[in-house]
Amino acid sequence: MIIAEQKPFEEVKSLVGEAQKILVVGCGTCVTVCFAGGAREAAILAASLRMASKLDGDPKDVTDVTVQRQCEWEYLDTIAEQVNEADLILSLGCGIGVQAIAEHFPKAWVVPGLNTSFLGLPVEQGVWVERCAACGDCILGLTAGICPIARCSKSLLNGPCGGSQDGHCEVNEDIPCAWQLIYDRLKSLDKLELLSEIRPPKNWRTSRDGGPRKIVRPDLRLCEEE
Amino acid sequence: MSDVNTDYQIVAFCCQYCAYAAADLAGGLRLQYPPNVKIIQIPCTGKMDVLYALQAFEAGADAVMVAGCMPGDCHFLEGNLNAMRRVERVKDLLRQIGLEAERIKMFHISSSMASQFVSATEEMLRTVEKLGPNPLRMNGKASRKETHVRRVS
Amino acid sequence: MADQSASNGYLSGSNLERVLKSGNFAVTAELGPPQSADAKVIRKKAALLRGYCDAVNITDNQTAIVRMSSIGAGAILVSEGLEPVIQMTCRDRNRLAIQSDILGAYALGMRNILCLTGDHQTFGNHPQAKNVFDIDSVQLIQIVKNLRDEHVFQCGDPLKGLEPRFFIGAAESPFAHPIEFRPYRLRKKIKAGANFIQTQLVFDIPAFECFMEKVRALGLHQQAYILAGVGPLKSPAMARYMKESVPGILIPQELIERLEEAGRPWAGKSKDELTKEEKKARSEAWKRTGIEICIELIQKILKIEGVAGVHIMAIEWEEAVEPIVKGAGLYPRPVIEPLAA
């Protein structure tokens, strides 16, 4: 899922600026699971902004509301009235949610309360790690289910490089060497021969390098009225 | 006892099994503790949410005490350990907001420790006297401000 | 140098290739370009290396610190009459820039290329940069080979006109992890088209012998020329740093102790108590020992079956190359005339 973190409070305050009536919008999906922007976090941030602004001598009217997902128009419709009444929307959704609110309510001024970081999972409570680079051309079938694009710092397809030591990446001891992991797992599954094949250069067109992406499913589109 | 400023308000979240029992025992033993302390019983300090503390401060509390069992003795095993982490989080939030982190503190009091309960309340009162009233209070009185939380499914 | 098609049996006709093909041990050295636009620095270093090696590697933004480009410095070396081995990493360039630079480098007279992955940019002085890694070193080797032998660009378009005929090098780190996979990774690079290999620094002879045994078992020494990386240590502190912090470098404790022993006459005093002259003398003693050790290592390494030469990395100490090459009995360097076409 999408992993994000709250922006530092000082940065949020400066994004809010002079606005007087602020609506903090939480999101009930990914950012709830990573404890960055769910209902509780929205309530905490709203309370913090009310208290801080009062101490700064300029008390602001800050309310909060949380929708199931900010990234679907139908859920945003339910908060239309509150959005229209506010000077500024502080979205605690991921970057998609912030943009969805801005697009759905073009007259609203929307600012992000989070920094959206990566696609990943919680390996244990409180620890989230990156797993997928959304490259659009998944090769996990060749690498024993471990992604070298996301998990190798250099996105090598014929790794490891010479910087792999004791199972960790040269960049940082906290980063396991993806190619060591791939090697170990292929070895345990008796499929090391996959590593002698030379993988050709990746087609990056399907990833963000090819431009912003779009997927259309004609079978799912609603029929136009005749 | 020194003059107690009866205007100060200290909210004390006390766990049912230990700290609340200690407070009860203090009452039974006729041990005096400051009247400024408003006790709220919760089943376990693990029920403590960061939001409860923020709501207390926003409503004008000058200090918040969180009193739970001794580490290792929590009736629900780890509730008090979770509470300790949350109290640290509230301290960080208070600093961000512009309030003093000392206004919240966690205490570990077992059910028979009536006098320790009393000294904990006196310690919080001394802290408040040193720091002064919660600057969020209007006109020197605690203001009750609704926190606006609406959930939309 | 032959720059027609390889009807004379040479892939590139470079001096390095000719020395290796003639059966002589090859010696390559390394030149670090400056963090400036000053060509004089290149000429000065070239003068220190002239005659003591068959080709000179020029690093490519090594450790992700911006320096004069390898190809730019290479062109200066060519004008000085020395033969460069240009290094190219995958960190800073995509496949377009890479192929474009290969064409330009050949046109400017360069004939050897070392294909590398590249240190991650977090190590260097521009950690906020976006890295490229469009391709990796194995794919880079294939691209250089296909330009030379198949006359085709990576996209499949044919190359019409003069193709770049490079002698293709790759690096291998025999002691990086997973250690048992390294000979197989080397095999992959040779299969991709590598003609010569330069290894990471070798200080541990038994460990290197073990690696070479596996290399020979795979027949790799007959498919590519393997040059072992060697380098003079400047001080015990440098040795300890490399041992602990650089992946893939093994340094036996007795070498570190030998260096410390060389500094013993000054061991009684702390760093602050030593005079400038004493510090200089101690540094000279360490350096002398470092060069001695390097010479001994070269002599042992060249006895190992499958080793075709050495690659001397005297980091910011190009003056050391002359005594090392002479001390190891590798001077003068052979002069091999190209065969007639």
Side-chain angles (χ1 to χ4, degrees), chain C residues 247-283:
Chain C
I249 297 198
L250 298 176
I251 304 186
Q253 190 57 25
E254 65 253 22
L255 293 183
I256 302 181
E257 282 163 8
R258 248 175 93 175
L259 283 164
E260 282 168 346
E261 187 59 35
R264 185 200 276 269
W266 301 273
K269 295 188 177 172
S270 78
K271 202 170 71 167
D272 304 310
E273 289 168 347
L274 291 168
T275 66
K276 215 165 86 159
E277 291 73 29
E278 284 174 324
K279 281 192 185 159
K280 188 158 185 265
R282 183 179 63 169
S283 174

Short mmCIF file of all heavy atoms in Angstrom, two decimals, chain C residues 247-283:
data_model
loop_
_atom_site.label_atom_id
_atom_site.label_comp_id
_atom_site.label_asym_id
_atom_site.label_seq_id
_atom_site.Cartn_x
_atom_site.Cartn_y
_atom_site.Cartn_z
N PRO C 247 33.72 -2.35 0.89
CA PRO C 247 33.26 -3.72 0.65
C PRO C 247 34.22 -4.45 -0.28
O PRO C 247 34.74 -3.87 -1.22
CB PRO C 247 31.91 -3.54 -0.07
CG PRO C 247 31.54 -2.12 0.08
CD PRO C 247 32.76 -1.35 0.38
N GLY C 248 34.47 -5.71 0.00
CA GLY C 248 35.24 -6.53 -0.92
C GLY C 248 36.74 -6.44 -0.77
O GLY C 248 37.48 -6.98 -1.58
N ILE C 249 37.24 -5.75 0.25
CA ILE C 249 38.70 -5.67 0.42
C ILE C 249 39.10 -6.47 1.67
O ILE C 249 38.64 -6.20 2.78
CB ILE C 249 39.18 -4.21 0.55
CG1 ILE C 249 38.86 -3.47 -0.75
CG2 ILE C 249 40.68 -4.18 0.82
CD1 ILE C 249 39.62 -2.21 -0.96
N LEU C 250 39.95 -7.46 1.43
CA LEU C 250 40.49 -8.26 2.54
C LEU C 250 41.95 -7.90 2.72
O LEU C 250 42.72 -7.98 1.76
CB LEU C 250 40.41 -9.76 2.21
CG LEU C 250 39.04 -10.38 1.97
CD1 LEU C 250 39.19 -11.84 1.57
CD2 LEU C 250 38.18 -10.26 3.22
N ILE C 251 42.34 -7.51 3.92
CA ILE C 251 43.76 -7.21 4.17
C ILE C 251 44.22 -8.05 5.35
O ILE C 251 43.69 -7.92 6.46
CB ILE C 251 43.98 -5.71 4.49
CG1 ILE C 251 43.43 -4.85 3.35
CG2 ILE C 251 45.46 -5.42 4.69
CD1 ILE C 251 43.71 -3.36 3.50
N PRO C 252 45.20 -8.95 5.12
CA PRO C 252 45.68 -9.77 6.23
C PRO C 252 46.31 -8.91 7.32
O PRO C 252 46.96 -7.89 7.04
CB PRO C 252 46.74 -10.67 5.57
CG PRO C 252 46.50 -10.59 4.12
CD PRO C 252 45.87 -9.26 3.87
N GLN C 253 46.09 -9.34 8.56
CA GLN C 253 46.57 -8.56 9.70
C GLN C 253 48.08 -8.34 9.64
O GLN C 253 48.58 -7.29 10.05
CB GLN C 253 46.16 -9.28 11.00
CG GLN C 253 46.36 -8.51 12.28
CD GLN C 253 45.63 -7.16 12.30
OE1 GLN C 253 44.63 -6.97 11.61
NE2 GLN C 253 46.15 -6.23 13.06
N GLU C 254 48.82 -9.35 9.11
CA GLU C 254 50.29 -9.19 9.15
C GLU C 254 50.77 -8.05 8.28
O GLU C 254 51.82 -7.44 8.54
CB GLU C 254 51.03 -10.49 8.77
CG GLU C 254 50.84 -10.97 7.36
CD GLU C 254 49.94 -12.19 7.33
OE1 GLU C 254 49.17 -12.36 8.31
OE2 GLU C 254 50.01 -12.95 6.35
N LEU C 255 50.00 -7.68 7.26
CA LEU C 255 50.41 -6.54 6.43
C LEU C 255 50.24 -5.24 7.21
O LEU C 255 51.08 -4.33 7.14
CB LEU C 255 49.61 -6.50 5.12
CG LEU C 255 49.86 -7.65 4.15
CD1 LEU C 255 49.06 -7.45 2.88
CD2 LEU C 255 51.35 -7.75 3.80
N ILE C 256 49.13 -5.17 7.96
CA ILE C 256 48.90 -3.97 8.77
C ILE C 256 50.00 -3.88 9.83
O ILE C 256 50.55 -2.79 10.10
CB ILE C 256 47.51 -4.01 9.42
CG1 ILE C 256 46.43 -4.14 8.35
CG2 ILE C 256 47.28 -2.77 10.27
CD1 ILE C 256 45.01 -4.16 8.86
N GLU C 257 50.36 -5.04 10.39
CA GLU C 257 51.40 -5.02 11.42
C GLU C 257 52.74 -4.62 10.84
O GLU C 257 53.52 -3.92 11.50
CB GLU C 257 51.49 -6.40 12.10
CG GLU C 257 50.38 -6.61 13.12
CD GLU C 257 50.17 -8.07 13.50
OE1 GLU C 257 50.99 -8.92 13.08
OE2 GLU C 257 49.19 -8.34 14.21
N ARG C 258 53.02 -5.04 9.62
CA ARG C 258 54.28 -4.63 8.98
C ARG C 258 54.34 -3.12 8.83
O ARG C 258 55.39 -2.50 9.03
CB ARG C 258 54.37 -5.27 7.59
CG ARG C 258 55.45 -6.32 7.48
CD ARG C 258 55.42 -6.99 6.15
NE ARG C 258 56.31 -6.33 5.21
CZ ARG C 258 56.53 -6.80 3.99
NH1 ARG C 258 55.90 -7.88 3.56
NH2 ARG C 258 57.36 -6.16 3.18
N LEU C 259 53.24 -2.54 8.48
CA LEU C 259 53.21 -1.08 8.34
C LEU C 259 53.43 -0.41 9.69
O LEU C 259 54.17 0.57 9.81
CB LEU C 259 51.87 -0.63 7.75
CG LEU C 259 51.70 -0.83 6.25
CD1 LEU C 259 50.24 -0.73 5.86
CD2 LEU C 259 52.51 0.21 5.47
N GLU C 260 52.75 -0.97 10.71
CA GLU C 260 52.91 -0.37 12.04
C GLU C 260 54.35 -0.50 12.50
O GLU C 260 54.91 0.42 13.10
CB GLU C 260 51.97 -1.07 13.03
CG GLU C 260 50.54 -0.58 12.89
CD GLU C 260 49.53 -1.44 13.64
OE1 GLU C 260 49.87 -2.56 14.06
OE2 GLU C 260 48.40 -0.97 13.78
N GLU C 261 54.97 -1.64 12.19
CA GLU C 261 56.36 -1.88 12.55
C GLU C 261 57.27 -0.83 11.91
O GLU C 261 58.21 -0.33 12.53
CB GLU C 261 56.74 -3.29 12.08
CG GLU C 261 58.10 -3.78 12.51
CD GLU C 261 58.27 -3.81 14.01
OE1 GLU C 261 57.29 -4.11 14.73
OE2 GLU C 261 59.38 -3.49 14.48
N ALA C 262 56.95 -0.47 10.67
CA ALA C 262 57.76 0.54 9.97
C ALA C 262 57.69 1.89 10.67
O ALA C 262 58.61 2.70 10.59
CB ALA C 262 57.29 0.67 8.52
N GLY C 263 56.60 2.12 11.37
CA GLY C 263 56.45 3.41 12.06
C GLY C 263 56.93 3.36 13.49
O GLY C 263 56.80 4.32 14.24
N ARG C 264 57.52 2.20 13.89
CA ARG C 264 57.89 2.02 15.29
C ARG C 264 58.86 3.05 15.85
O ARG C 264 58.70 3.48 16.99
CB ARG C 264 58.46 0.61 15.49
CG ARG C 264 58.75 0.30 16.94
CD ARG C 264 59.72 -0.85 17.05
NE ARG C 264 59.03 -2.12 16.96
CZ ARG C 264 58.58 -2.78 18.03
NH1 ARG C 264 58.69 -2.28 19.21
NH2 ARG C 264 57.99 -3.96 17.87
N PRO C 265 59.90 3.49 15.08
CA PRO C 265 60.82 4.49 15.67
C PRO C 265 60.11 5.72 16.22
O PRO C 265 60.64 6.40 17.09
CB PRO C 265 61.73 4.87 14.49
CG PRO C 265 61.69 3.68 13.59
CD PRO C 265 60.34 3.06 13.75
N TRP C 266 58.90 5.99 15.74
CA TRP C 266 58.19 7.18 16.20
C TRP C 266 57.01 6.82 17.10
O TRP C 266 56.22 7.67 17.45
CB TRP C 266 57.67 7.97 14.99
CG TRP C 266 58.76 8.39 14.06
CD1 TRP C 266 59.52 9.52 14.12
CD2 TRP C 266 59.24 7.65 12.94
NE1 TRP C 266 60.43 9.54 13.09
CE2 TRP C 266 60.28 8.40 12.35
CE3 TRP C 266 58.92 6.42 12.35
CZ2 TRP C 266 60.99 7.99 11.22
CZ3 TRP C 266 59.62 6.00 11.24
CH2 TRP C 266 60.65 6.78 10.69
N ALA C 267 56.95 5.52 17.47
CA ALA C 267 55.74 5.05 18.14
C ALA C 267 55.59 5.60 19.55
O ALA C 267 54.50 5.63 20.10
CB ALA C 267 55.72 3.52 18.17
N GLY C 268 56.75 6.03 20.16
CA GLY C 268 56.67 6.48 21.54
C GLY C 268 55.88 7.76 21.72
O GLY C 268 55.33 8.04 22.77
N LYS C 269 55.78 8.56 20.64
CA LYS C 269 55.15 9.87 20.79
C LYS C 269 53.73 9.86 20.21
O LYS C 269 53.43 9.13 19.28
CB LYS C 269 55.97 10.92 20.02
CG LYS C 269 57.36 11.14 20.59
CD LYS C 269 58.01 12.33 19.88
CE LYS C 269 59.37 12.63 20.46
NZ LYS C 269 60.06 13.65 19.65
N SER C 270 52.89 10.71 20.77
CA SER C 270 51.53 10.82 20.23
C SER C 270 51.58 11.74 19.00
O SER C 270 52.58 12.40 18.73
CB SER C 270 50.58 11.40 21.26
OG SER C 270 50.78 12.80 21.33
N LYS C 271 50.47 11.79 18.29
CA LYS C 271 50.40 12.56 17.05
C LYS C 271 50.79 14.02 17.26
O LYS C 271 51.47 14.64 16.46
CB LYS C 271 48.97 12.47 16.50
CG LYS C 271 48.86 12.76 15.01
CD LYS C 271 47.49 12.43 14.46
CE LYS C 271 46.47 13.45 14.96
NZ LYS C 271 45.19 13.37 14.21
N ASP C 272 50.33 14.57 18.40
CA ASP C 272 50.59 16.00 18.63
C ASP C 272 52.02 16.25 19.05
O ASP C 272 52.52 17.38 18.93
CB ASP C 272 49.63 16.54 19.71
CG ASP C 272 48.18 16.29 19.31
OD1 ASP C 272 47.85 16.64 18.17
OD2 ASP C 272 47.42 15.73 20.13
N GLU C 273 52.68 15.19 19.57
CA GLU C 273 54.04 15.41 20.07
C GLU C 273 55.06 15.36 18.93
O GLU C 273 56.17 15.85 19.06
CB GLU C 273 54.41 14.32 21.10
CG GLU C 273 53.66 14.47 22.43
CD GLU C 273 53.80 13.25 23.32
OE1 GLU C 273 54.26 12.19 22.82
OE2 GLU C 273 53.46 13.33 24.50
N LEU C 274 54.69 14.77 17.82
CA LEU C 274 55.64 14.63 16.72
C LEU C 274 55.85 15.96 16.02
O LEU C 274 54.91 16.71 15.77
CB LEU C 274 55.13 13.60 15.70
CG LEU C 274 55.10 12.14 16.18
CD1 LEU C 274 54.31 11.30 15.20
CD2 LEU C 274 56.52 11.61 16.30
N THR C 275 57.13 16.22 15.63
CA THR C 275 57.40 17.43 14.85
C THR C 275 57.03 17.16 13.40
O THR C 275 56.83 16.01 13.00
CB THR C 275 58.88 17.80 14.91
OG1 THR C 275 59.62 16.75 14.23
CG2 THR C 275 59.39 17.94 16.32
N LYS C 276 57.00 18.24 12.63
CA LYS C 276 56.66 18.10 11.21
C LYS C 276 57.65 17.18 10.50
O LYS C 276 57.25 16.34 9.69
CB LYS C 276 56.65 19.49 10.55
CG LYS C 276 55.59 19.62 9.47
CD LYS C 276 55.36 21.07 9.10
CE LYS C 276 56.36 21.47 8.03
NZ LYS C 276 55.93 22.64 7.26
N GLU C 277 58.93 17.32 10.85
CA GLU C 277 59.94 16.50 10.19
C GLU C 277 59.76 15.03 10.55
O GLU C 277 59.91 14.15 9.72
CB GLU C 277 61.37 16.92 10.59
CG GLU C 277 61.81 18.28 10.06
CD GLU C 277 61.12 19.44 10.77
OE1 GLU C 277 60.77 19.28 11.97
OE2 GLU C 277 60.92 20.49 10.13
N GLU C 278 59.41 14.81 11.85
CA GLU C 278 59.23 13.42 12.29
C GLU C 278 58.04 12.79 11.59
O GLU C 278 58.08 11.64 11.16
CB GLU C 278 59.02 13.39 13.82
CG GLU C 278 60.32 13.60 14.59
CD GLU C 278 60.08 13.71 16.08
OE1 GLU C 278 59.04 14.29 16.48
OE2 GLU C 278 60.91 13.22 16.84
N LYS C 279 56.97 13.58 11.45
CA LYS C 279 55.78 13.04 10.78
C LYS C 279 56.10 12.68 9.34
O LYS C 279 55.68 11.66 8.82
CB LYS C 279 54.64 14.07 10.81
CG LYS C 279 53.92 14.14 12.11
CD LYS C 279 52.63 14.94 11.99
CE LYS C 279 51.99 15.09 13.37
NZ LYS C 279 51.06 16.21 13.43
N LYS C 280 56.89 13.56 8.70
CA LYS C 280 57.24 13.32 7.29
C LYS C 280 58.07 12.05 7.17
O LYS C 280 57.83 11.21 6.31
CB LYS C 280 58.02 14.52 6.76
CG LYS C 280 58.28 14.48 5.27
CD LYS C 280 58.55 15.89 4.71
CE LYS C 280 58.69 15.82 3.21
NZ LYS C 280 60.06 15.71 2.76
N ALA C 281 59.04 11.92 8.09
CA ALA C 281 59.92 10.74 8.04
C ALA C 281 59.11 9.47 8.26
O ALA C 281 59.32 8.45 7.60
CB ALA C 281 61.03 10.87 9.07
N ARG C 282 58.17 9.54 9.20
CA ARG C 282 57.36 8.36 9.48
C ARG C 282 56.49 8.01 8.28
O ARG C 282 56.36 6.85 7.89
CB ARG C 282 56.48 8.60 10.71
CG ARG C 282 55.66 7.39 11.10
CD ARG C 282 54.81 7.66 12.33
NE ARG C 282 53.83 8.71 12.08
CZ ARG C 282 52.83 9.00 12.90
NH1 ARG C 282 52.69 8.34 14.02
NH2 ARG C 282 52.00 9.97 12.63
N SER C 283 55.93 9.04 7.67
CA SER C 283 55.10 8.83 6.48
C SER C 283 55.92 8.21 5.35
O SER C 283 55.47 7.29 4.67
CB SER C 283 54.50 10.16 6.05
OG SER C 283 53.83 10.01 4.84
#
